[in-house]
Amino acid sequence: MKKAVLSKKYYIVLAAAVFLLLCLAGCGSGQVRYQITVTGTAGESGVISYLGYEMNVYEDEASNPCGDCAYQPVSFYVGADGTEVAEKLSEAITRADDVWEVVSCEDGVLTVQEKEPGTVSEIPALESVAGLEMEGKVLQGSVTVQSAQTGGADQSSDAGAGNSPEMEDPQRIAAVYGPSYEMLVVLGVEDRIVVRADVQTDDFPWAEEVFKRISDVPLLDNVHTSVNFEELMTYDPDMVYSFPRPNEEKQLEEAGVSYLPGESAETLEDTPHQLMTYAQTINEDAVERAREYGQYYSDRLEMIRSVTDQIDESEKPKVYYAGMDILTTYGAYSDLPEVIEAAGGICVSADLEAGSRTQIDYEQLMTWNPDYVFIDHGGINDGESAEEVRDEMLSSDQYQELSAVKNHAVYAVPSGVFYWDMGLQKILLVMHMAKLLHPEEFADLDMVQEVQYFYETFYDYPLSAEQAQQILNREGP
């Protein structure tokens, strides 16, 4: 009897110990743990979204604009299976080294958990490409999981989002989002910027010539992948103009720092709207400057459309807009189709269910057979420059049957202080494109004078006619 009693006590103690260990390992930790199961095979190029990040899916190695560059973002190719994709997600999360950490990754099942309890309150919807399925499951913790959106509605974030009260009049500004530095210059607060992004000067020598302080402002590296939050906080910002990344926004909220996420433009009206949204977080002077820009933008757009709206559809050329490389373009959830339409062209990619920098294949481009090709965003992520992409297209045997190539109508888009298709110079892009597509109708439009007026009015930098022409020619200062 004594032996039986001791055995029973032993099992009771053992059970209690196991229960305690389970609580310490899981229920008591409070950390959110999330599992992503990836199945199928990637059947098309595009972009997948997971945990607030995005990853490119390329058709093949030839279509990857970064090639073997040293700082290539994690990506994969059409044909990758669930196991490979899960491993790529694991690699990207580990490289980002911010909110999440990888617990395990095996046979297409990736398990992650937040590094610090309470950091993650919401998990964005998983979005994939055709042929590849991603299913998420909360294993532990209390967290809201967003449902998937359709119709590309996730391509931009609400410009009113963030925790920034209106008219805060910030004194220590972090210009992290790519176009933010340019906007803050136009709003008259460049002197308040304490840290900026590397991408704002990487390929823009005119930014260092025109903007008074940009060469002296400290910069954050590799912001297109993720922002080093600890480094950002060493600059003690009271306002951060950020990328629309939920995990980084959560970190700013926890730190009590005001922020405003950028937005990807889906219509031409989004450009002046975003500038006004920035202005409304600063002061009345900034709001007045935004109004002046908005009036100029509206007047110039109306001037161009008053001409192009009268051109018969049969007289409008087919236009293809390439970004980063020949087979990367813009779809219906970008404003580039509207830019082309306003300039008097027909955007061949307007019906693509996609946003910015979407991969297509060679056959699709040849089927579209555009009359004009415009190339922007060359050099990003150490890829080929716009000039190199243009020259490759004009010299390659495989593109010689394109109408644009036959007629030497392949153009590298000017940039100046920033990309014309992303920042406030977008209205210059509309005018420049209209003059190229319809030279007779816009014979009186002097782009040198327009560039001079824009730079002096909004950047407070008087360009000479020679300098303006250099910008139009994509030449450095």
Side-chain angles (χ1 to χ4, degrees):
M1 290 293 294
K2 185 175 182 181
K3 183 176 180 181
V5 170
L6 287 174
S7 176
K8 184 176 181 180
K9 287 182 178 180
Y10 170 78
Y11 285 116
I12 292 172
V13 171
L14 179 61
V18 170
F19 178 77
L20 178 60
L21 287 172
L22 288 172
C23 285
L24 289 174
C27 60
S29 69
Q31 287 175 291
V32 171
R33 183 170 289 197
Y34 189 67
Q35 187 177 84
I36 301 175
T37 302
V38 190
T39 57
T41 302
E44 66 178 12
S45 60
V47 177
I48 65 170
S49 301
Y50 62 100
L51 301 176
Y53 307 108
E54 290 186 341
M55 183 178 296
N56 285 317
V57 186
Y58 295 110
E59 184 68 29
D60 49 33
E61 291 186 10
S63 65
N64 183 346
C66 196
D68 58 357
C69 59
Y71 299 103
Q72 178 171 192
V74 181
S75 61
F76 60 94
Y77 300 101
V78 170
D81 63 16
T83 297
E84 181 181 349
V85 173
E87 290 171 353
K88 291 291 186 179
L89 301 184
S90 175
E91 179 185 350
I93 292 168
T94 300
R95 186 188 296 189
D97 190 27
D98 53 5
V99 176
W100 296 97
E101 61 184 356
V102 175
V103 176
S104 64
C105 184
E106 186 175 358
D107 297 330
V109 180
L110 170 66
T111 303
V112 297
Q113 70 178 16
E114 58 179 348
K115 289 183 178 180
E116 299 293 333
T119 303
V120 178
S121 61
E122 185 175 73
I123 298 177
L126 299 171
E127 301 198 3
S128 190
V129 294
L132 194 69
E133 294 185 5
M134 296 194 298
E135 182 178 355
K137 179 181 180 182
V138 177
L139 301 180
Q140 175 181 296
S142 177
V143 64
T144 300
V145 179
Q146 293 180 356
S147 59
Q149 296 178 344
T150 59
D154 66 304
Q155 292 290 332
S156 65
S157 66
D158 181 3
N163 65 346
S164 168
E166 292 188 358
M167 296 304 174
E168 185 167 311
D169 202 21
Q171 301 299 310
R172 297 184 60 81
I173 295 173
V176 176
Y177 184 54
S180 64
Y181 199 101
E182 178 196 17
M183 289 194 284
L184 293 167
V185 169
V186 172
L187 295 176
V189 290
E190 184 186 12
D191 60 329
R192 303 184 187 187
I193 301 173
V194 296
V195 64
R196 64 175 179 86
D198 54 349
V199 298
Q200 290 153 351
T201 50
D202 277 355
D203 299 301
F204 307 108
W206 281 104
E208 296 182 272
E209 173 72 21
V210 172
F211 298 154
K212 296 179 176 62
R213 296 184 58 247
I214 197 167
S215 298
D216 300 321
V217 176
L219 58 84
L220 300 173
D221 288 322
N222 204 28
V223 297
H224 269 153
T225 300
S226 64
V227 174
N228 185 318
F229 181 74
E230 289 74 18
E231 182 181 0
L232 173 62
M233 287 299 98
T234 64
Y235 296 100
D236 192 28
D238 56 9
M239 171 65 77
V240 178
Y241 295 99
S242 63
F243 283 88
R245 296 172 183 150
N247 292 335
E248 293 173 7
E249 293 168 12
K250 177 64 175 177
Q251 289 176 308
L252 291 168
E253 287 180 0
E254 292 292 335
V257 178
S258 295
Y259 68 91
L260 186 69
E263 60 178 355
S264 297
E266 294 187 14
T267 72
L268 274 173
E269 292 305 316
D270 287 344
T271 296
H273 174 262
Q274 182 167 216
L275 183 67
M276 179 58 76
T277 304
Y278 269 49
Q280 289 171 343
T281 67
I282 300 174
N283 55 37
E284 288 292 351
D285 179 65
V287 169
E288 182 56 33
R289 288 169 181 260
R291 286 197 189 103
E292 291 174 2
Y293 172 83
Q295 187 61 56
Y296 161 84
Y297 187 97
S298 177
D299 290 346
R300 289 299 193 273
L301 187 57
E302 182 179 353
M303 181 265 290
I304 296 296
R305 278 185 162 153
S306 69
V307 176
T308 58
D309 285 350
Q310 303 305 312
I311 299 174
D312 190 271
E313 287 296 306
S314 63
E315 298 298 320
K316 294 180 178 180
K318 294 185 295 181
V319 178
Y320 175 74
Y321 200 97
M324 295 175 64
D325 63 20
I326 295 173
L327 298 177
T328 302
T329 192
Y330 300 76
Y333 308 122
S334 158
D335 64 348
L336 261 300
E338 189 178 357
V339 167
I340 293 168
E341 174 270 327
I346 298 172
C347 179
V348 296
S349 61
D351 293 331
L352 284 182
E353 295 287 324
S356 301
R357 298 193 291 281
T358 296
Q359 291 288 306
I360 62 168
D361 56 34
Y362 168 79
E363 289 74 17
Q364 178 63 78
L365 179 57
M366 298 306 290
T367 299
W368 283 334
N369 191 25
D371 302 303
Y372 287 79
V373 172
F374 293 88
I375 303 165
D376 206 347
H377 280 261
I380 193 170
N381 294 332
D382 295 329
E384 294 180 318
S385 68
E387 288 80 3
E388 289 172 328
V389 174
R390 178 197 60 199
D391 294 345
E392 176 188 347
M393 191 172 206
L394 289 172
S395 62
S396 174
D397 290 341
Q398 63 180 335
Y399 294 112
Q400 293 307 305
E401 293 304 311
L402 282 180
S403 293
V405 174
K406 287 180 179 180
N407 298 317
H408 291 272
V410 180
Y411 299 95
V413 175
S415 55
V417 299
F418 198 64
Y419 297 117
W420 275 23
D421 66 359
M422 278 190 68
L424 299 179
Q425 298 173 104
K426 187 167 294 179
I427 191 62
L428 293 178
L429 173 59
V430 176
M431 290 188 280
H432 176 67
M433 188 180 291
K435 189 172 179 66
L436 288 172
L437 299 183
H438 302 285
E440 292 184 6
E441 287 81 353
F442 291 100
D444 294 333
L445 177 60
D446 189 330
M447 283 307 301
V448 167
Q449 290 183 5
E450 289 294 340
V451 171
Q452 286 181 290
Y453 178 86
F454 190 97
Y455 274 60
E456 183 166 10
T457 303
F458 300 112
Y459 302 145
D460 191 27
Y461 189 91
L463 290 172
S464 67
E466 180 183 3
Q467 287 176 314
Q469 189 62 60
Q470 286 176 314
I471 289 173
L472 289 166
N473 294 342
R474 289 184 59 91
E475 298 171 357

